[in-house]
Amino acid sequence: MAAAVTGATPATARKTLFTTTATLLSSSLTRGSRGLSCSAAAAAAPRLAPHPPDLVRWVQREGGFVHPALRVTDHPEHGLGVSAAAADGDIPPGDVLITLPGRLPLRLRRPTGAADDLLVQLAQQVPDELWAMKLGLRLLQERAKPDSFWWPYIANLPETFTVPIFFPGDDIKNLQYAPLLHQVNKRCRFLLEFEKEVRQKLDTVPLIDHPFCGQDLNSSSLGWAMSAASSRAFRLHGETPMLLPLIDMCNHSFNPNARIVQEGSVNSSDMSVKVVAETKIEQNAAITLNYGCHPNDFFLLDYGFVITPNPYDQVELSYDGTLLDAASMAAGVSSPNFSAPAKWQEDILSQLNLHGEGAILKVSLGGPDIVDGRLLAALRVLLAADPEAVHKHDLKTLMSLDAQAPLGPTVEASALRTVLALCAIALQHFHTKIMEDEAILKGELPLTTELAIQFRLQKKFMIVDVMQNISRRIKTLSPQKSTA
């Protein structure tokens, strides 16, 4: 990836750039007959250019700083990324590893002509939740230019991504997880519809005003751009998302050895972005940043990888009285009242935003909290018979699993047993068992199949962990008092 193009003059480089960019936009991103025809990446996805410019040298040439110990290498644990491969000793905490001056980050900009005006108009048609598509349009604009300032960066981007919108149909089914399937289908539908809007908008635009230099965009090229932005962009201080050359090749860790520091606001002339060593970095260690404490849904959907294990992984459930009634009865809890709560219980459910107009019914199991606080509080309240005892506690206490049976051990045991039943129901939604998944993973699999199976397997492991945690808590209640 870091190999420099040798023997290329500026003129021949511009010619090569035009040919490469035009070919990639018009053909490689339209191959195949599927609606989203860009294939998912292999284990080591090829770069957009066969022999891309040296990214480290480009950053240095354009006024940036790269620590002498850093190289772009294929790390045995983290894969392709930035590592201290040239270090002759440890890099101490506080050392600056990379500095990008304000002109190197790629971001949406204020319009400077008709082409930019059209780009902004297209970006305004994208829902805010798909912010990566907005930035992706800007990336496609630069990718289409035969003389883009950012070509050394763009040439080093992967040709394909391992996000689920590019999975084969069978591997999308292999995910076996409805919330993620919903998001994948939602993004695919958006890309297909947005392709029509883009073509309609640009159909009669003269070449001089065309934001993509006359190149034809389809759902595949749009999906590539959205995936590039979602997997590589940073939103520092909640500001405008930016693509940060070289910095975006630092891999993820929940225990990173480096951090990003932005100096100056996005629009200031002296803005810069730095990567600073957070801990001692040993020779050959990968430079890692924390992309965020998210479940695997987020990492697979936006980044194309699964973390094993992931302490922040969760399964989503819909808060539904009928489902909770069934779960509590299956758990042997007597007289459940979930589908027909009393008025005082409804009032508390409304405070938890689980009842009434505008209620948010999505709850979860797993992650640091083990059980969604709103779900736990609802179970405790609905299994309690004494409103006075409930009103002695604030919502924070009722929502905390660490609170020692605030409504008494009988109510607590019933609530926790209901959680166990919900876990069992969640496991039943997967069509395969843990042992089956583990056996499949021992074979030679396409990367997308491996990702899909690893994703669902980690969900199951997480559910089992929750069940074991809840079972231990139930055992701490005395057998006599824990009988519902």
Side-chain angles (χ1 to χ4, degrees):
M1 176 173 176
V5 177
T6 58
T9 65
T12 58
R14 283 196 295 270
K15 182 177 180 181
T16 302
L17 165 64
F18 178 81
T19 304
T20 304
T21 304
T23 302
L24 285 167
L25 276 173
S26 62
S27 62
S28 72
L29 289 175
T30 61
R31 57 184 175 276
S33 58
R34 289 188 291 123
L36 292 175
S37 55
C38 182
S39 63
R47 307 293 99 182
L48 280 180
H51 303 287
D54 188 312
L55 193 56
V56 171
R57 293 181 183 178
W58 177 69
V59 168
Q60 294 170 329
R61 187 173 67 245
E62 297 300 332
F65 168 79
V66 181
H67 193 287
L70 301 190
R71 296 290 186 272
V72 176
T73 60
D74 196 358
H75 191 273
E77 178 184 354
H78 294 275
L80 189 66
V82 180
S83 66
D88 55 8
D90 296 338
I91 300 175
D95 269 20
V96 175
L97 304 176
I98 302 171
T99 301
L100 298 183
R103 71 200 213 99
L104 286 186
L106 178 59
R107 55 189 183 271
L108 285 168
R109 64 185 182 186
R110 293 188 180 92
T112 58
D116 285 349
D117 284 334
L118 282 170
L119 189 77
V120 169
Q121 292 173 28
L122 289 173
Q124 290 172 342
Q125 295 178 241
V126 178
D128 288 340
E129 65 179 291
L130 296 178
W131 59 267
M133 186 71 266
K134 297 175 184 282
L135 181 57
L137 291 170
R138 178 80 177 94
L139 175 61
L140 284 173
Q141 182 184 37
E142 291 301 325
R143 180 177 169 179
K145 289 181 180 179
D147 57 351
S148 172
F149 168 76
W150 282 278
W151 175 247
Y153 165 64
I154 295 171
N156 278 280
L157 293 176
E159 186 180 10
T160 52
F161 291 92
T162 55
V163 293
I165 60 170
F166 292 137
F167 277 18
D170 287 344
D171 286 334
I172 291 178
K173 293 178 183 177
N174 278 332
L175 294 167
Q176 297 183 6
Y177 185 61
L180 184 59
L181 292 174
H182 171 74
Q183 289 298 322
V184 173
N185 290 332
K186 183 178 178 181
R187 291 192 179 192
C188 288
R189 287 195 300 270
F190 163 77
L191 289 168
L192 292 170
E193 290 301 317
F194 192 49
E195 173 190 339
K196 298 176 184 176
E197 295 176 16
V198 170
R199 287 183 170 177
Q200 183 178 12
K201 186 79 172 178
L202 303 180
D203 187 43
T204 58
V205 173
L207 182 60
I208 192 174
D209 296 331
H210 200 288
F212 308 109
C213 301
Q215 299 296 329
D216 183 33
L217 298 188
N218 56 27
S219 57
S220 187
S221 54
L222 292 168
W224 175 86
M226 184 170 71
S227 301
S230 72
S231 63
R232 306 179 81 90
F234 293 83
R235 303 184 74 170
L236 306 179
H237 309 309
E239 295 184 351
T240 306
M242 301 181 289
L243 290 164
L244 304 178
L246 191 61
I247 291 178
D248 62 11
M249 297 195 73
C250 297
N251 284 297
H252 165 76
S253 173
F254 289 131
N255 299 295
N257 56 22
R259 59 188 172 89
I260 294 183
V261 177
Q262 178 181 324
E263 297 183 348
S265 65
V266 170
N267 296 318
S268 65
S269 58
D270 59 347
M271 189 272 282
S272 66
V273 181
K274 297 180 179 180
V275 175
V276 180
E278 185 83 346
T279 64
K280 180 180 70 175
I281 300 175
E282 298 178 351
Q283 184 180 22
N284 293 321
I287 308 302
T288 56
L289 302 168
N290 189 343
Y291 294 1
C293 299
H294 302 293
N296 277 332
D297 313 43
F298 176 87
F299 286 116
L300 184 57
L301 189 65
D302 277 356
Y303 291 90
F305 61 75
V306 173
I307 296 177
T308 59
N310 182 350
Y312 303 96
D313 207 12
Q314 301 174 333
V315 291
E316 290 182 10
L317 302 173
S318 178
Y319 181 86
D320 177 80
T322 303
L323 172 65
L324 295 178
D325 279 341
S328 61
M329 286 189 285
V333 175
S334 60
S335 302
N337 196 35
F338 296 119
S339 57
K343 178 64 171 63
W344 68 270
Q345 292 171 324
E346 285 185 347
D347 291 342
I348 298 177
L349 291 177
S350 296
Q351 295 177 50
L352 294 169
N353 209 9
L354 291 172
H355 179 77
E357 187 177 352
I360 299 175
L361 301 180
K362 184 177 74 174
V363 293
S364 62
L365 298 171
D369 294 333
I370 310 300
V371 181
D372 188 300
R374 296 190 306 137
L375 173 61
L376 180 61
L379 293 176
R380 284 169 168 169
V381 169
L382 292 171
L383 288 164
D386 184 0
E388 291 186 6
V390 173
H391 287 124
K392 289 179 181 179
H393 303 282
D394 57 21
L395 287 182
K396 184 177 180 180
T397 299
L398 295 173
M399 293 170 65
S400 173
L401 189 61
D402 293 330
Q404 296 299 315
L407 301 182
T410 299
V411 170
E412 191 72 0
S414 297
L416 296 181
R417 286 174 177 165
T418 303
V419 172
L420 280 179
L422 287 172
C423 289
I425 292 171
L427 275 177
Q428 291 173 359
H429 279 86
F430 294 97
H431 311 314
T432 54
K433 299 184 183 301
I434 288 176
M435 291 181 64
E436 293 177 292
D437 290 346
E438 290 178 324
I440 294 171
L441 287 173
K442 291 179 181 178
E444 292 292 329
L445 301 172
L447 181 56
T448 54
T449 304
E450 182 180 346
L451 283 170
I453 295 174
Q454 194 64 261
F455 172 83
R456 75 192 190 203
L457 180 60
Q458 293 305 311
K459 292 290 183 191
K460 296 171 194 176
F461 281 149
M462 183 274 304
I463 294 171
V464 171
D465 287 344
V466 171
M467 296 178 77
Q468 292 175 341
N469 185 294
I470 296 300
S471 296
R472 288 193 297 268
R473 292 173 186 271
I474 292 174
K475 288 179 181 179
T476 64
L477 303 168
S478 71
Q480 180 180 358
K481 291 183 179 180
S482 65
T483 302

